[in-house]
Amino acid sequence: IHRDDDGSDAESEGRIGFWRTPYWDAAEPDTRRALEETMAALRGAGIEVCEIDGPAGAEQLNQAQDIIMHGEGRTAFLSEYLRWPRELHAEFVAEVENSRGIDGAALAWAADYLGSLRPRFDEAMADYDAWLVPALPGEAPPGLDSTGDAVFNRLWTGLHAPAVTLPGFSGARGLPVGIQLVAGRFRDARLLATAARVEEILAGRRQG
């Protein structure tokens, strides 16, 4: 059961789209297995799962998001840079000093590129309760030097799309591996309801 955007209740087992994203090559075996098992569990619960292609021209989503993130970092950390220039971490200093050389033309391209794709993704997602996509390449990397690769997250940040990551799987080293559900802009409530249902289905799979 899901609640439509107009507030009415609709009886349905649900419909999920599965999109590999342009970055599928980064998905490790643990993540691919988690997605396959999720699709099998959803279909076993009567939910329709359709493998889909995303809107054409979306191959540079992460590149555009990267330009926006680092380009806007110049102003985001400027106050700290001016107050504590010697105490600030070198990475933040590099952001403020624009070590990547991001100029206005690059920012304009990234903003226009992402802006043109947002309504197209909204339209593509409209007939689905959510899209199932990779959440991360695989298990968390060892040590404290990195929190991992955000290759499967940053595109949704760039699209301003709500996203929910659900746990439920383990990788080869016994560390958690999750899956991600996303939806079009301003469909947060519907996405959260769908994520709760998927979480129940995955929990039932583990208990079974």
Side-chain angles (χ1 to χ4, degrees), residues 38-106:
T38 298
M39 286 190 283
L42 293 175
R43 287 169 174 150
I47 293 176
E48 180 183 5
V49 181
C50 309
E51 296 195 29
I52 57 175
D53 294 321
E59 296 79 12
Q60 299 182 79
L61 281 169
N62 281 358
Q63 179 183 344
Q65 190 275 337
D66 189 75
I67 290 171
I68 296 291
M69 178 175 66
H70 292 295
E72 293 183 349
R74 299 176 65 183
T75 54
F77 305 115
L78 179 60
S79 176
E80 289 79 5
Y81 177 86
L82 294 174
R83 293 174 65 186
W84 303 294
R86 296 181 180 178
E87 290 81 6
L88 200 62
H89 192 282
E91 291 184 7
F92 295 101
V93 172
E95 292 286 271
V96 177
E97 295 181 352
N98 192 23
S99 65
R100 291 173 173 81
I102 297 171
D103 59 16

Side-chain angles (χ1 to χ4, degrees), residues 17-42:
F18 171 57
W19 187 42
R20 289 178 171 81
T21 81
Y23 309 104
W24 182 248
D25 287 348
E28 299 170 9
D30 290 332
T31 282
R32 298 187 184 204
R33 183 172 58 252
L35 290 164
E36 290 169 359
E37 292 184 14
T38 298
M39 286 190 283
L42 293 175

Side-chain angles (χ1 to χ4, degrees), residues 19 21 62 121 125 131 133-134 152-163 180 182-183:
W19 187 42
T21 81
N62 281 358
F121 269 89
M125 294 179 174
W131 279 7
V133 297
F152 292 117
N153 312 124
R154 57 197 313 164
L155 64 161
W156 306 112
T157 299
L159 290 169
H160 296 172
Q180 186 170 210
V182 298

